[in-house]
Amino acid sequence: MEVDGAMTSLVAVSAYVPTTVSIESLQDELGLSATQLRRFRRMYGLSDVCRSDEPEADMLLGAVSKLDFLAGQEERVRYVVRAKTMPAASPYPVNPMLGVRAALGLEHAAMFTVTDHACASGLLAVDLCGTLLAADGDPDALALILTGEKAFTHSAQVIPDVAIMGEATAAVLVGPGDGQDTMLGYATTTLGGPGGEVILDDDQAAEFRRIYPGAVAQVALEAVAAAGLTVDDIAMVLPHNVNKISWVRASGALGIPRSRIFLDNVGTTGHSFCADPFLNYHTANGLGLLAPGACYLMISVGLGSTFSAMVFRK
């Protein structure tokens, strides 16, 4: 994304992955039939998911504690942004983020939450922070984005016949300028209509699955075009971790080989709300899969049929 000639970069990304448990151990809790459980494992590629007994605030602090770049740079942080799927997880007027901000020594920073794009709100937060930092005009300013949340109700724990939710978290420092992970293009669309509901019945879920590959491909191609690239220039896709079969289908629509879609975390973390693309970046980067100068594509989809894609250059 470009604003008045200024670019947006990912300065640092960290992840906190709590204990994983087998999906079989959650069968009764999630109300899954034996058939549904087999489908999640054999067709969708799920094996384990993240679960934690910690409060959500501690999980977020766990991610930030691994963000080595932040130490000593706290005064540079202008914004603390919570990117969430679920609009509320605490009873009013409790706000765990006030304690998180205080624990980090960031009381001077403005704080707000974005939930408008459901699980795609993490990418929305990156775009929004880039806009705010560019408007501030301070080349040293930073924004801290916190993603991932507790799966605290049954409807937040499982998307029927699509995904089982995990509780990993990720912290992202965003800065202005052309850094080592520079955003080149962003596209997002909310389709609405059939398949665009947030709570899906069987027919609506079937419609969502039908439109999914084409909608993912369309928004991804728009982001790639905005970056001035073609799909041949994309070295890797960092998706949200709903299941493997949906990305096998989307691969054909995208025109990107399955081998370039990073799915290693699908079977071990579950779908960790807005954190997924950043968890995948953290893992892939740690494995040395993102070479300097390579272009990669983050894709995330939120219930309510919001499809988002963002292109970066390493």
Side-chain angles (χ1 to χ4, degrees), residues 201-211:
D201 62 27
D202 290 345
D203 290 340
Q204 293 162 345
E207 177 63 13
F208 183 73
R209 288 192 293 270
R210 186 190 70 80
I211 67 175

Side-chain angles (χ1 to χ4, degrees), residues 198-253:
V198 174
I199 304 298
L200 305 174
D201 62 27
D202 290 345
D203 290 340
Q204 293 162 345
E207 177 63 13
F208 183 73
R209 288 192 293 270
R210 186 190 70 80
I211 67 175
Y212 181 93
V216 165
Q218 181 176 345
V219 77
L221 292 174
E222 288 176 3
V224 170
L229 304 173
T230 70
V231 291
D232 291 336
D233 298 313
I234 301 300
M236 183 161 292
V237 176
L238 304 176
H240 66 160
N241 298 329
V242 285
N243 60 62
K244 290 185 177 180
I245 196 170
S246 66
W247 289 106
V248 170
R249 295 170 62 209
S251 171

